[in-house]
């Protein structure tokens, strides 16, 4: 069986270094917001090219804290509207709601699965104060166009970079203004998840905010720790969402290997794109900005193809089977129509792709798909 994602194999190569880090943290006896967290915050900020990184409990909290931070700074108010792609994972929308803001859904481009900048202007109202761009599946959203629109309308731009660790603008669609910039440094602030299955994954939940906004960074530093910078002195009504010291230690081990791991993903994607030849299958577009957290194909008979692959020993996953506006949690949206989003959620299927896939496994996936 070819696993969709073999986390044991991915992390096995780091086992000795993980054990060393575990022993170091145990010996230090400092388990919350210690040296490893501070080190990772410096390392990841430098990696993204951002001034600040604040480690938090998970990717959802990272987004929530960005919005709550801007509310504390007076740049957002409860009830403000945030434009967000209609086909994103539900956590993106939950973050807006948990900050007492109003999500406004915008259709994506069918070709890229990312928010369509051409449709943003029509959704802007006097209540619109931010655009939340999602780099879905590991491909950068059209950040230059989005930032230009935001500047015209005096809007904040936030990145949901939970699937885009290491994605950069080193491709022709970006001008010199955006040349060689990383996800996490393409907006006012960005949220990352280090959920175990991400391109940079922890061994549990973990997240971070990156930003060049020093005032925002300062507020989020407090908000993640009960609203306190100094013990028992609380400036804000905060939450408990701190990057765990041990998870930070593991991330410090893995971060130097992120680019090489992404290159392996890109090599597999290049083979899929050039060698899968089946008229029943729609392949994703190929751009250098894509780090292929997921390799997502589309087909009209998605369930049939998934069953066919499973019978041939290939695990796949569906990201995501139900669009947010059709979820029971959002009953008030259930009657809304987003045809492109609905088509995507009905047809997408994610193929195995990871740094530990073998050449033989890639060969087999391609062969089975071409025989479908």
């Amino acid at each position: 069986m070819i696993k969709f994602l073999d986390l044991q194999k991915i992390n096995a190569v780091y086992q000795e270094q993980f054990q060393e880090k575990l022993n170091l943290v145990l010996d230090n006896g400092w388990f919350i917001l210690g040296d490893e967290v501070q080190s990772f915050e410096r390392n990841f900020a430098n990696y993204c090219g951002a001034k600040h990184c604040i480690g938090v409990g998970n990717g959802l909290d990272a987004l929530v804290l960005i919005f709550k931070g801007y509310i504390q700074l007076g740049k957002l108010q409860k009830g403000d509207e945030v434009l967000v792609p209609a086909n994103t994972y539900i956590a993106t929308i939950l973050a807006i709601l948990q900050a007492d803001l109003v999500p406004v859904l915008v259709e994506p481009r069918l070709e890229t699965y990312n928010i369509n900048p051409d449709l943003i202007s029509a959704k802007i109202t006097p209540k619109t104060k931010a655009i939340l761009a999602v780099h879905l599946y590991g491909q950068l959203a059209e950040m230059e166009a989005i930032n230009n629109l935001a500047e015209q309308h005096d809007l904040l731009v936030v990145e949901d970079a939970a699937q885009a660790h290491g994605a950069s603008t080193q491709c022709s669609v970006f001008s010199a203004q955006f040349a060689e910039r990383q996800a996490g440094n393409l907006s006012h602030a960005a949220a990352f998840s280090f959920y175990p299955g991400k391109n940079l994954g922890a061994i549990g939940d973990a997240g971070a905010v990156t930003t060049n906004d020093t005032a925002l960074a300062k507020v989020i530093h407090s908000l993640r720790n009960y609203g306190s910078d100094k013990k028992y002195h609380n400036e804000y009504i905060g939450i408990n969402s701190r990057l765990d010291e041990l998870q930070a230690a593991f991330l410090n081990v893995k971060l130097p290997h992120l680019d090489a791991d992404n290159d392996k993903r890109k090599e597999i994607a290049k083979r899929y794109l050039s060698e899968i030849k089946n008229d029943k299958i729609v392949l994703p577009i190929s751009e250098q900005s894509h780090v292929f957290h997921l390799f997502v194909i589309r087909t009209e008979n998605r369930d049939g193809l998934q069953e066919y692959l499973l019978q041939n020993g290939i695990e796949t996953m569906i990201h995501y089977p139900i669009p947010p506006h059709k979820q029971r949690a959002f009953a008030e949206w259930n009657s809304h129509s987003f045809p492109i989003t609905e088509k995507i959620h009905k047809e997408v299927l994610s193929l195995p792709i990871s740094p530990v896939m073998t050449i033989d496994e890639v060969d087999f996936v391609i062969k089975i798909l071409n025989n479908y």
Side-chain angles (χ1 to χ4, degrees):
M1 176 68 71
I2 297 176
K3 290 186 177 182
F4 175 74
L5 185 65
D6 193 336
L7 288 177
Q8 287 179 311
K9 193 173 180 181
I10 286 172
N11 287 307
V13 296
Y14 304 111
Q15 187 168 349
E16 185 175 333
Q17 291 170 282
F18 285 170
Q19 189 62 52
E20 291 173 359
K21 285 291 189 180
L22 172 60
N23 293 339
L24 179 64
V25 170
L26 290 173
D27 289 343
N28 285 344
W30 194 283
F31 305 118
I32 303 292
L33 298 183
D35 292 342
E36 291 292 342
V37 169
Q38 292 178 31
S39 175
F40 178 73
E41 289 174 337
R42 288 192 301 270
N43 293 339
F44 196 65
N46 289 337
Y47 178 81
C48 294
K51 289 181 181 178
H52 307 283
C53 171
I54 308 99
V56 299
N58 54 71
L60 172 59
D61 285 356
L63 280 172
V64 173
L65 288 167
I66 289 170
F67 289 127
K68 288 191 173 183
Y70 276 129
I71 289 172
Q72 290 292 343
L73 292 171
K75 293 187 177 183
L76 290 174
Q77 295 181 7
K78 293 180 180 181
D80 284 345
E81 294 176 353
V82 179
L83 304 185
V84 61
N87 64 311
T88 187
Y89 180 55
I90 197 169
T92 317
I93 295 168
L94 292 176
I96 298 170
L97 292 167
Q98 288 184 19
D100 295 315
L101 302 169
V102 178
V104 176
L105 306 184
V106 182
E107 286 269 56
R109 290 197 197 278
L110 183 60
E111 300 80 12
T112 66
Y113 309 118
N114 283 329
I115 193 169
N116 187 343
D118 297 339
L119 302 179
I120 288 177
S121 294
K123 295 281 190 173
I124 295 174
T125 75
K127 292 287 290 179
T128 306
K129 300 300 177 184
I131 302 171
L132 177 47
V134 181
H135 305 313
L136 199 63
Y137 309 146
Q139 178 165 310
L140 291 182
E142 297 170 59
M143 295 306 296
E144 188 164 15
I146 290 167
N147 277 296
N148 287 339
L149 279 166
E151 189 173 350
Q152 293 169 23
H153 296 276
D154 193 26
L155 306 177
L156 293 169
V157 179
V158 177
E159 296 167 76
D160 181 340
Q163 300 182 356
H165 316 73
S168 74
T169 61
Q170 296 177 4
C171 63
S172 58
V173 299
F174 293 93
S175 71
Q177 178 188 358
F178 280 81
E180 298 188 26
R181 288 171 62 180
Q182 300 273 96
N185 188 29
L186 294 165
S187 63
H188 293 98
F192 286 88
S193 165
F194 305 113
Y195 182 79
K198 304 297 186 184
N199 290 32
L200 179 62
I203 317 299
D205 271 323
V209 173
T210 57
T211 184
N212 294 314
D213 186 333
T214 300
L216 178 67
K218 186 176 185 299
V219 171
I220 293 175
H221 267 288
S222 293
L223 286 174
R224 70 166 178 187
N225 189 34
Y226 301 104
S228 172
D229 273 334
K230 181 180 179 183
K231 195 167 186 178
Y232 303 130
H233 294 257
N234 300 80
E235 298 181 53
Y236 311 106
I237 298 173
I239 63 173
N240 176 16
S241 182
R242 302 170 296 209
L243 175 59
D244 184 80
E245 183 74 359
L246 191 56
Q247 298 300 340
F250 294 153
L251 290 168
N252 278 324
V253 169
K254 297 178 78 172
L255 179 58
H257 304 276
L258 175 57
D259 286 341
D261 284 349
N262 282 344
D263 286 343
K264 292 174 184 175
R265 290 175 178 272
K266 291 177 183 180
E267 289 170 9
I268 295 168
K270 185 177 180 180
R271 288 203 57 200
Y272 282 164
L273 289 165
S274 62
E275 298 178 39
I276 295 173
K277 299 184 185 299
N278 188 319
D279 292 341
K280 302 184 189 74
I281 295 169
V282 179
L283 299 172
I285 66 171
S286 176
E287 287 186 356
Q288 291 178 342
S289 68
H290 204 325
V291 291
F292 290 99
H293 169 61
L294 299 170
F295 190 96
V296 179
I297 62 174
R298 292 201 333 270
T299 185
E300 290 185 2
N301 185 14
R302 187 258 311 284
D303 294 344
L305 177 56
Q306 185 175 42
E307 179 60 27
Y308 164 79
L309 290 169
L310 186 60
Q311 288 176 358
N312 283 277
I314 300 170
E315 286 185 348
T316 59
M317 290 192 69
I318 300 171
H319 298 88
Y320 304 96
I322 305 172
H325 71 282
K326 295 296 184 183
Q327 295 284 355
R328 186 176 178 182
F330 301 138
E332 68 276 16
W333 292 349
N334 288 174
S335 62
H336 294 185
S337 176
F338 293 92
I340 296 173
T341 291
E342 289 160 24
K343 180 179 178 65
I344 289 169
H345 286 261
K346 183 179 178 182
E347 296 182 353
V348 290
L349 186 67
S350 301
L351 301 182
I353 188 167
S354 81
V356 296
M357 277 189 77
T358 66
I359 293 174
D360 288 344
E361 287 175 332
V362 177
D363 288 342
F364 186 71
V365 172
I366 292 168
K367 175 186 173 183
I368 296 300
L369 281 168
N370 286 339
N371 288 340
Y372 174 64

